[in-house]
Amino acid sequence: MADKRIIAVVGATGSQGHGLCEAILNDPRGGCACRAITRDPGKEKARALAARGAEVVAADLDDVESLKKAFTGAYGAYCVTNFWEHLSAAKETQQAKNLAVAAKAAGVKHVIWSTLEDTRGLMSADDRRMPMLQGVYRVPHFDAKAEADKYFAALPVTFLIASFYWDNLYSFGLAPKKGADGVYSWAFPMADKRLAGIAAEDIGQVAYGIFKAGPAYVGRRVGAASQHLTIEEMGSHLSKALGVGPIRYDAVSPDAYRGFGFPGAQEMGNMMQVYRDFEKEINGARDTEVARALHPAMLTFDQFLAKHGDKIPR
Ligand SMILES: NC(=O)c1ccc[n+]([C@@H]2O[C@H](COP(=O)([O-])OP(=O)(O)OC[C@H]3O[C@@H](n4cnc5c(N)ncnc54)[C@H](OP(=O)(O)O)[C@@H]3O)[C@@H](O)[C@H]2O)c1
């Protein structure tokens, strides 16, 4: 452990960070040691990481001093925030700032900040195609992360731009639903545009590739996506994998989607409208070849379905 480079992993018990912990722990000759950060070292996922050789350290994104301690002595830090826990863009930006302040204080040599784009830059301020949310944001969980990029800019940082997790099919209630006529259908406001997607576990694996590549990636923005698929294409792969017959795609308008009323419907509606209206910009920032070069075993959608399809509700 002493001769290895310590990678401090925020969100080690979550999708992105856990993927990175797995990558480090599965590569004992890779020269890196895993420091898993959690608020609760006693939780099962943290104890499982400890049992596999990770150093588990307690810290809280709201407590910058705890983050400084958790980053001390680390070569690398993987920084991620979780908007969905509190749904506040302002809080997310503050938590990200805390991470950047702590990484600077601890003298971390390579930071990866899991960010997204500022969608406000894609539209003029008076554009009326979608509502503003939380006062000043188009897609709060995108814009809030992008707003924090400036705090990382003076550090040796790689900006990692995450993509839609295919895991949302089971973890975010986005699977097709069976209608009274027995036909499965799903609704998205994506028209015929392509959605950049990835198995969540692969984001951390791409990050591991970046840490291993080192300084060549400092100062760069790297997209983490495996494939850009239309909803029709996703439906056809999904239909075969689940054995449920054809899946009907209701290509609803963004306004209709925002009106669905589930928690986060407005946020998701705005996000997917951005994917639809700015396909070139969003997918252009997520070059699948760049990510695959960093993580050659990255799952395709079919491989993701073969591995995780049993979790998708029928
Ligand atoms: N779902 C998608 O398609 C998608 C796509 C792109 C980007 N994202 C972004 O991904 C982010 C979430 O990442 P994820 O999916 O890896 O998370 P996740 O699986 O939901 O897990 C959340 C992680 O964050 C940690 N965490 C939350 N609040 C914390 C705090 N105050 N202090 C310390 N740790 C804290 C949790 O650690 P403990 O509970 O153990 O402390 C846990 O490890 C979100 O901001 C989201 O916008 C999601």
Side-chain angles (χ1 to χ4, degrees), residues 15 61 68 71 88 93 117 133 137 161 180 182 222 244 252-253 255 273 275 295 299 301 304-305:
S15 301
L61 293 173
K68 285 181 191 170
F71 287 170
S88 161
T93 302
E117 40 275 273
L133 301 177
Y137 304 97
I161 308 168
V222 177
V244 297
V252 296
S253 71
D255 277 338
Q273 187 171 7
Y275 290 160
H295 174 34
L299 299 177
F301 189 48
F304 164 82
L305 291 172

Side-chain angles (χ1 to χ4, degrees), residues 56-214:
V56 177
V57 171
D60 192 318
L61 293 173
D62 296 322
D63 175 358
V64 72
E65 294 307 317
S66 73
L67 293 172
K68 285 181 191 170
K69 279 193 205 129
F71 287 170
T72 297
Y75 162 83
Y78 186 75
C79 295
V80 60
T81 46
N82 185 16
F83 171 85
W84 298 101
E85 182 167 310
H86 47 73
L87 306 175
S88 161
K91 182 169 167 122
E92 181 166 42
T93 302
Q94 179 60 49
Q95 290 183 330
K97 182 179 179 186
N98 291 347
L99 286 165
V101 167
K104 180 162 198 274
V108 172
K109 303 283 186 297
H110 193 172
V111 178
I112 296 180
W113 162 228
S114 177
T115 189
L116 291 166
E117 40 275 273
D118 195 329
T119 62
R120 296 167 295 188
L122 297 167
M123 289 158 264
S124 63
D126 59 358
D127 193 308
R128 295 283 176 86
R129 81 183 76 192
M130 64 180 71
M132 301 303 288
L133 301 177
Q134 299 188 30
V136 293
Y137 304 97
R138 297 285 188 181
V139 185
H141 72 285
F142 273 58
D143 305 343
K145 290 181 181 68
E147 228 168 71
D149 286 359
K150 60 178 180 279
Y151 302 118
F152 290 92
L155 303 176
V157 66
T158 305
F159 297 95
L160 185 66
I161 308 168
S163 301
F164 179 88
Y165 303 174
W166 290 324
D167 308 66
N168 292 332
L169 295 177
Y170 59 84
S171 62
F172 217 86
L174 295 183
K177 309 262 184 317
K178 191 176 182 177
D181 56 0
V183 175
Y184 282 78
S185 69
W186 57 1
F188 289 102
M190 287 279 298
D192 60 352
K193 304 302 185 212
R194 294 183 175 277
L195 176 63
I198 191 166
E201 67 203 45
D202 280 334
I203 295 175
Q205 300 273 352
V206 172
Y208 184 53
I210 292 171
F211 279 127
K212 280 200 299 184

Side-chain angles (χ1 to χ4, degrees), residues 188-267:
F188 289 102
M190 287 279 298
D192 60 352
K193 304 302 185 212
R194 294 183 175 277
L195 176 63
I198 191 166
E201 67 203 45
D202 280 334
I203 295 175
Q205 300 273 352
V206 172
Y208 184 53
I210 292 171
F211 279 127
K212 280 200 299 184
Y217 277 83
V218 168
R220 286 182 61 178
R221 294 178 78 81
V222 177
S226 172
Q227 285 179 291
H228 304 162
L229 297 170
T230 64
I231 302 298
E232 291 280 11
E233 286 169 345
M234 288 179 72
S236 129
H237 289 282
L238 197 52
S239 149
K240 283 190 205 108
L242 303 186
V244 297
I247 294 169
R248 194 180 65 230
Y249 168 33
D250 293 330
V252 296
S253 71
D255 277 338
Y257 195 90
R258 280 186 282 269
F260 282 169
F262 64 85
Q266 286 216 316
E267 171 109 22

